[in-house]
Amino acid sequence: MNFRFSLLLGLLVTAVSAQAQTDGVAAQANLSALAAGSPALIPKGETYGVKGSPYADNRWLPAQIKLANSLPLAPVPLKYDVLEHRLLMRPLSRGNDSLLLDDRQVVSFVLLEPLSALGPARPRLFRRFLEAPNERQRQDYVEVLHQGQHTLLKYYVKSMKKADYQGAYSNDQRYDVIDDKSVYYLRSPLGSLQLVKLGLKPLQAAAPALADALKTAVATQRPKTDADWAAVLRAVDPAPAK
């Protein structure tokens, strides 16, 4: 009896292991199919360099990617290039090469931020900005800082100011400069979207039902960063029960 049970258990473990291996191979194959296959470079003109960053986050962070067709994908180091409206990935087998990701099927991705002196480890969700007021922005990604009855969104905006140091009327600006002017939106329970600044009065005006709770939470937590403001909203606007 014990021999039969051990044999059955061994076969079951072997089958599960084989299935996991098959799923892993499929996930890697699906990920490889999304890569354009050629290194992606940020073009540079005849300047002294570039100041600023085109990325939502300069680090290569592990990412979990969700596709519209629900195909499994292996986790991969990822960067969101806001300036060029594209995703770059770094395959583990390609050294320091960065490849352009064909993101036409990408619905969302989660960057896994590690523990640091600035805060705890946390997942950062980016999804398509489908409710954007400008139609051209709806294929861009927006970071979901908080999602409860209300949703706090961060839309990254990057623009390039080219060097200007030649000619009698130049500004003597010898570097290309990438400006960062990210903006925030609060989405109401009814789905309306409002541009907001991260401050007590603007958020109270955008979400009057939370006004008193926000005042108490802000006095207690004294938020400074957008992560702090997201924590305030989590305290006063919990996610609905599933």
Side-chain angles (χ1 to χ4, degrees):
M1 182 70 176
N2 289 337
F3 172 75
R4 289 181 179 177
F5 177 76
S6 298
L7 179 60
L8 179 61
L9 180 60
L11 291 173
L12 179 60
V13 169
T14 300
V16 169
S17 176
Q19 182 61 49
Q21 188 174 24
T22 299
D23 290 345
V25 171
Q28 186 60 51
N30 291 333
L31 184 61
S32 298
L34 292 178
S38 57
L41 301 175
I42 302 296
K44 296 181 181 179
E46 297 297 325
T47 71
Y48 285 74
V50 179
K51 291 185 176 181
S53 169
Y55 306 112
D57 195 303
N58 283 333
R59 299 168 293 178
W60 288 104
L61 295 178
Q64 299 169 340
I65 302 172
K66 180 180 179 182
L67 299 181
N69 56 18
S70 299
L71 286 174
L73 293 178
V76 63
L78 195 75
K79 283 185 180 182
Y80 174 29
D81 183 344
V82 178
L83 186 65
E84 298 293 336
H85 307 275
R86 62 187 182 176
L87 297 179
L88 302 179
M89 71 178 190
R90 175 173 284 179
L92 300 179
S93 61
R94 296 284 298 264
N96 291 327
D97 284 346
S98 59
L99 301 182
L100 180 62
L101 192 72
D102 181 357
D103 70 339
R104 287 174 292 182
Q105 288 292 318
V106 174
V107 174
S108 63
F109 58 91
V110 175
L111 296 180
L112 304 175
E113 184 166 312
L115 172 69
S116 72
L118 299 177
R122 63 188 179 108
R124 295 171 58 189
L125 170 63
F126 290 75
R127 62 164 174 81
R128 299 285 188 181
F129 195 12
L130 299 178
E131 65 271 72
N134 187 327
E135 187 173 354
R136 290 178 298 177
Q137 300 171 341
R138 293 175 188 172
Q139 286 304 305
D140 292 338
Y141 298 97
V142 64
E143 184 173 6
V144 181
L145 298 178
H146 163 72
Q147 190 160 353
Q149 298 290 338
H150 297 76
T151 303
L152 181 63
L153 303 172
K154 181 178 183 179
Y155 180 62
Y156 291 81
V157 181
K158 304 274 187 175
S159 61
M160 173 77 80
K161 186 177 181 180
K162 301 296 291 183
D164 179 14
Y165 60 93
Q166 296 176 345
Y169 300 100
S170 70
N171 296 323
D172 198 32
Q173 178 184 310
R174 296 175 178 266
Y175 295 85
D176 290 344
V177 177
I178 298 176
D179 288 330
D180 187 342
K181 298 180 180 177
S182 299
V183 294
Y184 300 89
Y185 292 92
L186 192 69
R187 189 174 186 270
S188 76
L190 298 178
S192 61
L193 197 67
Q194 186 168 341
L195 184 67
V196 295
K197 291 184 178 180
L198 295 184
L200 176 58
K201 289 184 178 180
L203 287 173
Q204 286 178 319
L210 302 177
D212 292 339
L214 280 168
K215 184 177 180 180
T216 301
V218 167
T220 302
Q221 300 188 32
R222 299 185 181 278
K224 296 180 180 179
T225 66
D226 55 24
D228 294 339
W229 282 104
V232 166
L233 282 170
R234 282 196 298 273
V236 303
D237 180 45
K242 294 183 179 179

